Amino acid sequence: MSKKKKLLFRISIGLNILLVAIVAWVIIKMNFVKEQVLVTEVQNNFVELEGLIANQSDNNWSEPNLVTTELGDVLNGFWLGLTTGKHLGTISKSDKKIPEDLYAKLNQYPNDELYSFADLTEEDKKNFEDLRKTLHEVGLGLNISISANMDSFLNQAEALNERMNPH
């Protein structure tokens, strides 16, 4: 090989390595974004929901719209996580089954709509208190150490999905 061909070959190898590194970096970033959306927008909101249900239960449900609004935040977090994963192409059919099942189950609870708060019956309040107990049992509650790890959250979500009864 001539010196010119050797130089071009080395440059080509270097550019290919650089391209592979950039593609790997982009894939890692996309997965990170998907995971962070689910962890921050769902896991943290579940913890807040559990705390708000406890607070409202202790205060004779003086402001039930705090609970229904937070449930709306959980539902929006699921929708955002699933939509982001779908558009980034980083969520598989098996990865979205549990979030979709949980979304469907949680959507059966009263939640607020735009400019309209949901009215809670005594049965709704009892159902929310049961949900609080279940959230706490799977490790999604106040004063419980939670991991910001996606695998840990998916395990909690799976346990929650198995224990929840649709209302």
Side-chain angles (χ1 to χ4, degrees), residues 84-161:
T84 301
K86 179 182 171 189
H87 288 295
L88 291 175
T90 59
I91 193 163
S92 67
K93 285 184 181 182
S94 61
D95 285 345
K96 67 181 183 177
K97 180 170 179 15
I98 291 172
E100 284 177 343
D101 287 352
L102 272 175
Y103 182 90
K105 289 177 182 178
L106 290 167
N107 205 28
Q108 294 178 21
Y109 287 83
N111 59 78
D112 297 337
E113 296 182 19
L114 191 60
Y115 307 119
S116 172
F117 291 128
D119 292 323
L120 298 184
T121 65
E122 290 304 313
E123 182 181 351
D124 292 334
K125 293 173 187 176
K126 165 104 175 60
N127 290 337
F128 272 117
E129 289 169 359
D130 291 343
L131 175 61
R132 176 196 176 254
K133 181 181 175 193
T134 304
L135 285 169
H136 200 81
E137 287 172 353
V138 299
L140 291 167
L142 292 177
N143 301 319
I144 298 174
S145 179
I146 61 170
S147 171
N149 176 303
M150 185 65 172
D151 291 333
S152 173
F153 171 66
L154 289 177
N155 288 336
Q156 290 171 321
E158 186 174 12
L160 180 61
N161 189 38

Coordinates of all heavy atoms in Angstrom, one line a residue, residues 84-161:
T84 N -42.6 9.4 25.4 CA -41.2 9.6 25.1 C -40.5 8.4 24.7 O -39.7 8.4 23.7 CB -40.5 10.2 26.4 OG1 -41.2 11.4 26.8 CG2 -39.0 10.5 26.2
G85 N -40.7 7.3 25.4 CA -40.1 6.0 25.0 C -40.5 5.6 23.6 O -39.6 5.1 22.8
K86 N -41.7 5.8 23.3 CA -42.2 5.4 21.9 C -41.5 6.3 20.9 O -41.0 5.7 19.9 CB -43.7 5.6 21.9 CG -44.3 5.2 20.5 CD -45.8 5.5 20.5 CE -46.4 5.4 19.1 NZ -47.7 5.8 19.0
H87 N -41.5 7.6 21.1 CA -40.9 8.4 20.1 C -39.4 8.3 19.9 O -38.8 8.5 18.9 CB -41.2 9.9 20.3 CG -42.7 10.2 20.0 ND1 -43.2 10.2 18.8 CD2 -43.7 10.6 20.9 CE1 -44.5 10.5 18.8 NE2 -44.8 10.7 20.1
L88 N -38.7 7.9 21.0 CA -37.3 7.7 21.0 C -37.0 6.3 20.5 O -35.8 6.0 20.1 CB -36.7 7.9 22.4 CG -36.6 9.3 22.9 CD1 -36.1 9.3 24.4 CD2 -35.8 10.2 22.1
G89 N -38.0 5.4 20.4 CA -37.8 4.1 20.0 C -37.0 3.2 21.0 O -36.4 2.3 20.6
T90 N -37.1 3.6 22.3 CA -36.4 2.9 23.3 C -37.3 2.1 24.2 O -36.8 1.6 25.2 CB -35.6 3.9 24.2 OG1 -36.5 4.8 24.8 CG2 -34.6 4.7 23.4
I91 N -38.6 1.9 23.9 CA -39.4 1.2 24.8 C -40.0 0.0 24.0 O -40.5 0.1 22.9 CB -40.6 2.0 25.4 CG1 -41.3 1.3 26.5 CG2 -41.5 2.5 24.3 CD1 -42.1 2.2 27.4
S92 N -39.8 -1.2 24.5 CA -40.3 -2.4 23.9 C -41.8 -2.7 24.3 O -42.3 -2.1 25.3 CB -39.4 -3.6 24.2 OG -39.6 -3.9 25.6
K93 N -42.4 -3.6 23.6 CA -43.8 -4.0 24.0 C -43.8 -4.5 25.5 O -44.7 -4.2 26.2 CB -44.3 -5.1 23.1 CG -44.7 -4.5 21.7 CD -45.3 -5.6 20.9 CE -45.7 -5.0 19.5 NZ -46.3 -6.0 18.6
S94 N -42.8 -5.3 25.8 CA -42.8 -5.8 27.2 C -42.6 -4.7 28.2 O -43.1 -4.8 29.3 CB -41.8 -7.0 27.3 OG -40.5 -6.5 27.1
D95 N -41.7 -3.7 27.9 CA -41.4 -2.6 28.8 C -42.7 -1.8 29.0 O -42.8 -1.1 30.1 CB -40.3 -1.7 28.2 CG -39.0 -2.4 28.4 OD1 -38.8 -3.3 29.1 OD2 -38.0 -1.8 27.7
K96 N -43.6 -1.7 28.1 CA -44.7 -0.8 28.3 C -45.9 -1.5 28.8 O -46.9 -0.8 29.2 CB -45.0 0.0 27.0 CG -45.5 -0.8 25.8 CD -45.7 0.1 24.6 CE -46.3 -0.7 23.5 NZ -46.6 0.2 22.4
K97 N -45.9 -2.8 29.0 CA -47.1 -3.5 29.4 C -47.5 -3.1 30.9 O -48.6 -2.7 31.1 CB -46.9 -5.0 29.4 CG -48.1 -5.7 29.9 CD -48.1 -7.2 29.6 CE -49.3 -8.0 30.1 NZ -50.5 -7.2 30.5
I98 N -46.5 -3.1 31.8 CA -46.8 -2.8 33.2 C -47.2 -1.3 33.3 O -48.3 -1.0 33.9 CB -45.6 -3.1 34.1 CG1 -45.5 -4.6 34.2 CG2 -45.8 -2.5 35.5 CD1 -44.3 -5.1 34.9
P99 N -46.5 -0.3 32.7 CA -47.0 1.0 32.8 C -48.4 1.2 32.2 O -49.2 2.0 32.8 CB -45.9 1.8 32.1 CG -44.7 1.0 32.1 CD -45.2 -0.4 32.1
E100 N -48.7 0.6 31.1 CA -50.0 0.7 30.5 C -51.1 0.1 31.4 O -52.2 0.7 31.5 CB -50.0 0.1 29.1 CG -49.3 0.9 28.1 CD -49.3 0.2 26.7 OE1 -49.5 -1.0 26.6 OE2 -49.1 1.0 25.7
D101 N -50.8 -1.1 32.0 CA -51.7 -1.7 32.9 C -52.0 -0.8 34.1 O -53.1 -0.6 34.5 CB -51.2 -3.1 33.4 CG -51.3 -4.1 32.3 OD1 -51.9 -3.9 31.2 OD2 -50.7 -5.2 32.6
L102 N -50.9 -0.3 34.7 CA -51.1 0.6 35.9 C -51.9 1.9 35.5 O -52.7 2.3 36.3 CB -49.7 1.0 36.4 CG -49.1 0.1 37.5 CD1 -47.7 0.5 37.8 CD2 -50.0 0.0 38.7
Y103 N -51.5 2.4 34.3 CA -52.3 3.6 33.9 C -53.8 3.3 33.8 O -54.6 4.1 34.3 CB -51.7 4.1 32.5 CG -52.4 5.3 32.0 CD1 -51.8 6.6 32.3 CD2 -53.5 5.3 31.2 CE1 -52.4 7.7 31.8 CE2 -54.1 6.4 30.8 CZ -53.6 7.6 31.1 OH -54.2 8.8 30.6
A104 N -54.1 2.2 33.2 CA -55.5 1.8 33.1 C -56.2 1.7 34.5 O -57.3 2.1 34.7 CB -55.7 0.6 32.3
K105 N -55.5 1.0 35.4 CA -56.1 0.8 36.7 C -56.2 2.1 37.5 O -57.2 2.4 38.1 CB -55.2 -0.2 37.5 CG -55.3 -1.6 37.0 CD -54.4 -2.5 37.8 CE -54.5 -3.9 37.2 NZ -53.5 -4.8 37.9
L106 N -55.2 3.0 37.4 CA -55.2 4.2 38.1 C -56.2 5.2 37.5 O -56.8 6.0 38.2 CB -53.8 4.9 38.2 CG -52.8 4.1 39.0 CD1 -51.4 4.7 38.7 CD2 -53.1 4.3 40.5
N107 N -56.4 5.1 36.2 CA -57.4 6.0 35.6 C -58.8 5.7 36.0 O -59.7 6.6 35.7 CB -57.2 5.9 34.0 CG -57.6 7.1 33.3 OD1 -57.6 8.2 33.8 ND2 -58.1 6.9 32.1
Q108 N -59.0 4.6 36.6 CA -60.4 4.3 37.1 C -60.7 5.0 38.4 O -61.9 5.1 38.8 CB -60.6 2.8 37.3 CG -60.5 2.1 36.0 CD -60.6 0.6 36.1 OE1 -61.1 0.1 37.1 NE2 -60.2 -0.2 35.1
Y109 N -59.7 5.6 39.1 CA -59.9 6.4 40.3 C -60.4 7.8 39.9 O -60.0 8.2 38.8 CB -58.6 6.5 41.1 CG -58.2 5.3 41.8 CD1 -57.5 4.3 41.2 CD2 -58.5 5.1 43.2 CE1 -57.1 3.1 41.9 CE2 -58.1 4.0 43.9 CZ -57.4 3.0 43.2 OH -57.0 1.9 43.9
P110 N -61.1 8.4 40.7 CA -61.5 9.8 40.3 C -60.3 10.7 40.2 O -59.4 10.6 41.1 CB -62.4 10.3 41.5 CG -62.7 9.0 42.3 CD -61.7 8.0 42.0
N111 N -60.1 11.4 39.1 CA -59.0 12.4 39.0 C -59.6 13.6 38.4 O -60.6 13.6 37.7 CB -57.8 11.8 38.2 CG -58.2 11.3 36.9 OD1 -58.3 12.1 35.9 ND2 -58.4 10.0 36.7
D112 N -58.8 14.7 38.6 CA -59.3 16.0 38.1 C -59.2 16.1 36.6 O -58.3 15.6 36.0 CB -58.5 17.1 38.8 CG -58.7 17.1 40.3 OD1 -59.8 16.6 40.7 OD2 -57.9 17.7 41.0
E113 N -60.1 16.9 36.0 CA -60.0 17.3 34.6 C -59.8 18.8 34.6 O -59.9 19.5 35.6 CB -61.4 16.9 33.9 CG -61.6 15.4 33.9 CD -62.9 15.0 33.2 OE1 -63.4 15.9 32.4 OE2 -63.4 13.9 33.4
L114 N -59.4 19.2 33.4 CA -59.1 20.7 33.3 C -60.3 21.5 33.8 O -61.4 21.4 33.4 CB -58.8 21.0 31.8 CG -58.2 22.3 31.5 CD1 -56.9 22.5 32.2 CD2 -58.1 22.5 30.0
Y115 N -60.0 22.4 34.7 CA -60.9 23.3 35.3 C -62.0 22.7 36.1 O -63.1 23.3 36.3 CB -61.5 24.3 34.3 CG -60.5 25.0 33.4 CD1 -60.4 24.8 32.1 CD2 -59.5 25.8 34.0 CE1 -59.4 25.4 31.3 CE2 -58.6 26.5 33.3 CZ -58.5 26.3 31.9 OH -57.6 26.9 31.2
S116 N -61.9 21.4 36.5 CA -62.9 20.7 37.2 C -62.3 19.7 38.2 O -61.6 18.8 37.8 CB -63.8 20.0 36.2 OG -64.7 19.2 36.8
F117 N -62.6 19.9 39.5 CA -62.2 18.9 40.5 C -63.2 17.8 40.6 O -64.4 18.0 40.5 CB -62.0 19.6 41.8 CG -60.9 20.6 41.9 CD1 -61.1 21.9 42.4 CD2 -59.6 20.2 41.5 CE1 -60.0 22.8 42.4 CE2 -58.6 21.2 41.6 CZ -58.8 22.4 42.0
A118 N -62.6 16.6 40.8 CA -63.5 15.4 41.0 C -64.1 15.5 42.4 O -63.4 15.9 43.4 CB -62.7 14.2 40.8
D119 N -65.3 15.0 42.6 CA -66.0 14.8 43.9 C -65.7 13.4 44.3 O -66.0 12.5 43.5 CB -67.5 15.1 43.8 CG -67.7 16.6 43.5 OD1 -67.0 17.5 44.0 OD2 -68.7 16.9 42.7
L120 N -65.3 13.2 45.6 CA -65.0 11.9 46.1 C -66.2 11.4 47.0 O -66.6 12.2 47.9 CB -63.7 11.9 46.9 CG -62.5 12.2 46.2 CD1 -61.3 12.1 47.1 CD2 -62.3 11.4 44.9
T121 N -66.6 10.2 46.8 CA -67.6 9.6 47.6 C -66.8 8.9 48.8 O -65.6 8.8 48.8 CB -68.4 8.5 46.9 OG1 -67.5 7.5 46.5 CG2 -69.1 9.1 45.7
E122 N -67.5 8.4 49.8 CA -66.9 7.7 50.9 C -66.2 6.4 50.3 O -65.1 6.1 50.8 CB -67.9 7.3 52.0 CG -68.4 8.5 52.7 CD -67.3 9.3 53.4 OE1 -66.4 8.7 54.0 OE2 -67.3 10.6 53.3
E123 N -66.7 5.8 49.3 CA -66.1 4.6 48.7 C -64.8 5.0 48.0 O -63.8 4.3 48.1 CB -67.1 3.9 47.7 CG -66.5 2.7 47.1 CD -67.4 2.0 46.1 OE1 -68.5 2.4 46.0 OE2 -66.9 1.1 45.5
D124 N -64.8 6.2 47.3 CA -63.6 6.6 46.7 C -62.5 6.9 47.7 O -61.3 6.5 47.5 CB -63.9 7.9 45.9 CG -64.8 7.8 44.7 OD1 -64.8 6.7 44.2 OD2 -65.5 8.8 44.4
K125 N -62.9 7.5 48.8 CA -61.9 7.8 49.9 C -61.3 6.5 50.4 O -60.1 6.4 50.6 CB -62.5 8.6 51.0 CG -62.9 10.0 50.5 CD -63.7 10.7 51.6 CE -64.2 12.0 51.1 NZ -65.1 12.7 52.1
K126 N -62.2 5.5 50.6 CA -61.7 4.2 51.1 C -60.8 3.6 50.0 O -59.7 3.0 50.4 CB -62.9 3.3 51.4 CG -62.6 1.8 51.5 CD -62.6 1.3 52.9 CE -62.4 -0.1 53.1 NZ -61.1 -0.7 52.6
N127 N -61.1 3.7 48.8 CA -60.3 3.1 47.7 C -58.9 3.8 47.7 O -57.9 3.1 47.5 CB -61.0 3.2 46.4 CG -62.2 2.3 46.2 OD1 -62.3 1.3 46.9 ND2 -63.1 2.6 45.4
F128 N -58.9 5.1 47.9 CA -57.6 5.8 47.9 C -56.8 5.4 49.1 O -55.6 5.3 49.0 CB -57.8 7.3 47.9 CG -57.9 8.0 46.6 CD1 -59.1 8.6 46.2 CD2 -56.9 7.9 45.7 CE1 -59.2 9.2 44.9 CE2 -57.0 8.5 44.4 CZ -58.1 9.1 44.0
E129 N -57.5 5.2 50.2 CA -56.7 4.7 51.4 C -56.2 3.3 51.2 O -55.0 3.0 51.6 CB -57.6 4.8 52.7 CG -57.9 6.2 53.1 CD -59.0 6.4 54.1 OE1 -59.6 5.4 54.6 OE2 -59.2 7.5 54.5
D130 N -56.9 2.5 50.5 CA -56.4 1.1 50.1 C -55.2 1.3 49.2 O -54.2 0.6 49.3 CB -57.4 0.3 49.5 CG -58.5 -0.1 50.4 OD1 -58.3 -0.1 51.7 OD2 -59.6 -0.6 49.9
L131 N -55.3 2.2 48.2 CA -54.2 2.5 47.3 C -52.9 3.0 48.1 O -51.8 2.5 47.8 CB -54.6 3.5 46.3 CG -53.5 4.0 45.3 CD1 -52.9 2.8 44.5 CD2 -54.0 5.1 44.4
R132 N -53.2 3.8 49.1 CA -52.0 4.3 49.9 C -51.3 3.1 50.6 O -50.1 3.1 50.6 CB -52.5 5.3 51.0 CG -51.4 5.7 51.9 CD -51.9 6.4 53.1 NE -50.7 6.6 54.0 CZ -50.4 5.9 55.0 NH1 -51.2 5.0 55.4 NH2 -49.3 6.2 55.7
K133 N -52.1 2.2 51.1 CA -51.5 1.1 51.8 C -50.7 0.2 50.8 O -49.6 -0.2 51.2 CB -52.7 0.2 52.4 CG -52.2 -1.0 53.2 CD -53.4 -1.8 53.7 CE -52.8 -3.1 54.4 NZ -53.9 -4.0 54.6
T134 N -51.2 0.0 49.6 CA -50.5 -0.8 48.6 C -49.3 0.0 48.2 O -48.2 -0.7 48.1 CB -51.4 -1.0 47.4 OG1 -52.6 -1.6 47.9 CG2 -50.8 -1.9 46.4
L135 N -49.3 1.3 48.0 CA -48.1 2.0 47.6 C -47.1 1.9 48.7 O -45.9 1.7 48.4 CB -48.5 3.5 47.4 CG -49.2 3.9 46.2 CD1 -49.7 5.3 46.2 CD2 -48.4 3.7 44.9
H136 N -47.5 2.0 49.9 CA -46.5 1.9 51.0 C -45.9 0.5 51.1 O -44.7 0.3 51.3 CB -47.2 2.2 52.3 CG -46.3 2.6 53.4 ND1 -45.7 3.9 53.5 CD2 -45.8 1.9 54.4 CE1 -44.9 3.9 54.6 NE2 -44.9 2.7 55.2
E137 N -46.7 -0.5 50.9 CA -46.2 -1.9 50.9 C -45.2 -2.2 49.8 O -44.3 -3.0 50.1 CB -47.4 -2.9 50.7 CG -48.3 -3.0 51.9 CD -49.6 -3.8 51.7 OE1 -49.8 -4.2 50.5 OE2 -50.3 -4.0 52.7
V138 N -45.3 -1.6 48.7 CA -44.3 -1.8 47.6 C -43.1 -0.9 47.6 O -42.3 -0.9 46.8 CB -45.0 -1.8 46.2 CG1 -46.1 -2.8 46.1 CG2 -45.5 -0.4 45.8
G139 N -43.1 0.0 48.7 CA -42.0 0.9 48.9 C -42.1 2.2 48.2 O -41.1 2.9 48.0
L140 N -43.3 2.6 47.9 CA -43.5 3.9 47.2 C -44.3 4.8 48.2 O -45.5 5.0 48.1 CB -44.3 3.8 45.9 CG -43.5 3.1 44.8 CD1 -44.5 2.8 43.7 CD2 -42.4 4.0 44.3
G141 N -43.5 5.3 49.2 CA -44.2 6.2 50.2 C -43.2 7.1 50.9 O -42.0 6.9 50.8
L142 N -43.8 8.0 51.6 CA -43.0 8.9 52.4 C -42.2 8.2 53.5 O -42.7 7.1 54.0 CB -43.9 10.0 53.1 CG -44.5 11.0 52.1 CD1 -45.4 12.0 52.9 CD2 -43.5 11.8 51.3
N143 N -41.1 8.7 53.9 CA -40.2 8.1 54.9 C -39.8 6.7 54.6 O -39.5 5.9 55.5 CB -40.9 8.1 56.3 CG -41.3 9.5 56.7 OD1 -40.5 10.5 56.5 ND2 -42.5 9.7 57.3
I144 N -39.7 6.4 53.3 CA -39.2 5.1 52.8 C -38.1 5.4 51.9 O -38.2 6.3 51.0 CB -40.3 4.3 52.0 CG1 -41.4 3.9 52.9 CG2 -39.6 3.0 51.5 CD1 -42.6 3.2 52.2
S145 N -37.0 4.8 52.0 CA -35.8 5.0 51.2 C -36.1 4.4 49.8 O -36.4 3.2 49.7 CB -34.6 4.4 51.7 OG -33.5 4.6 50.9
I146 N -36.1 5.3 48.8 CA -36.4 4.8 47.4 C -35.1 5.0 46.6 O -34.3 5.8 46.8 CB -37.6 5.5 46.7 CG1 -37.3 7.0 46.6 CG2 -38.9 5.2 47.4 CD1 -38.3 7.7 45.7
S147 N -35.0 4.1 45.6 CA -33.9 4.1 44.7 C -34.3 4.8 43.4 O -35.4 4.6 42.9 CB -33.4 2.7 44.4 OG -32.5 2.7 43.3
A148 N -33.4 5.7 42.9 CA -33.7 6.3 41.6 C -33.3 5.5 40.4 O -33.1 6.0 39.3 CB -33.0 7.7 41.6
N149 N -33.2 4.2 40.7 CA -32.8 3.2 39.7 C -34.0 2.7 38.9 O -35.0 2.4 39.5 CB -32.1 2.1 40.4 CG -31.6 0.9 39.5 OD1 -32.5 0.3 38.8 ND2 -30.4 0.6 39.5
M150 N -33.9 2.6 37.6 CA -35.0 2.2 36.8 C -35.5 0.8 37.1 O -36.6 0.5 37.1 CB -34.6 2.4 35.3 CG -35.8 2.1 34.3 SD -37.1 3.3 34.5 CE -38.1 2.8 33.2
D151 N -34.5 -0.1 37.3 CA -34.9 -1.5 37.5 C -35.6 -1.6 38.9 O -36.6 -2.3 39.0 CB -33.6 -2.4 37.6 CG -33.0 -2.6 36.2 OD1 -33.7 -2.5 35.2 OD2 -31.8 -2.8 36.2
S152 N -35.2 -0.9 39.9 CA -35.9 -0.9 41.1 C -37.3 -0.3 41.0 O -38.3 -0.9 41.5 CB -35.1 0.0 42.1 OG -35.8 0.2 43.3
F153 N -37.5 0.8 40.2 CA -38.8 1.3 40.0 C -39.7 0.3 39.3 O -40.8 0.2 39.6 CB -38.7 2.7 39.3 CG -40.1 3.1 38.9 CD1 -41.0 3.5 39.8 CD2 -40.4 3.2 37.5 CE1 -42.3 3.9 39.4 CE2 -41.7 3.6 37.1 CZ -42.6 4.0 38.1
L154 N -39.1 -0.3 38.2 CA -39.9 -1.3 37.5 C -40.4 -2.4 38.4 O -41.5 -2.9 38.2 CB -39.2 -1.8 36.2 CG -39.0 -0.7 35.1 CD1 -38.2 -1.3 34.0 CD2 -40.4 -0.3 34.6
N155 N -39.5 -2.9 39.3 CA -39.9 -3.9 40.2 C -41.1 -3.4 41.1 O -42.0 -4.2 41.4 CB -38.7 -4.4 41.1 CG -37.7 -5.2 40.3 OD1 -38.1 -5.8 39.2 ND2 -36.5 -5.2 40.7
Q156 N -41.0 -2.2 41.6 CA -42.0 -1.6 42.4 C -43.3 -1.5 41.6 O -44.4 -1.8 42.1 CB -41.6 -0.2 43.0 CG -40.5 -0.3 44.0 CD -40.0 1.1 44.3 OE1 -39.9 2.0 43.5 NE2 -39.7 1.3 45.6
A157 N -43.2 -1.0 40.4 CA -44.4 -0.9 39.5 C -45.0 -2.2 39.3 O -46.3 -2.4 39.3 CB -44.0 -0.2 38.2
E158 N -44.2 -3.3 39.0 CA -44.8 -4.6 38.8 C -45.5 -5.1 40.0 O -46.6 -5.7 40.0 CB -43.7 -5.6 38.4 CG -44.1 -6.9 38.0 CD -43.0 -7.8 37.5 OE1 -41.8 -7.5 37.6 OE2 -43.4 -8.9 36.9
A159 N -44.9 -4.9 41.2 CA -45.5 -5.3 42.5 C -46.8 -4.6 42.7 O -47.8 -5.2 43.1 CB -44.6 -5.1 43.6
L160 N -46.8 -3.3 42.4 CA -48.0 -2.5 42.5 C -49.1 -3.0 41.6 O -50.3 -3.1 42.0 CB -47.7 -1.0 42.3 CG -48.8 0.0 42.4 CD1 -49.4 0.0 43.8 CD2 -48.4 1.4 42.0
N161 N -48.7 -3.2 40.4 CA -49.7 -3.7 39.4 C -50.3 -5.0 39.8 O -51.5 -5.2 39.6 CB -49.0 -3.9 38.0 CG -49.9 -4.1 36.9 OD1 -51.0 -3.6 36.8 ND2 -49.5 -5.0 36.0

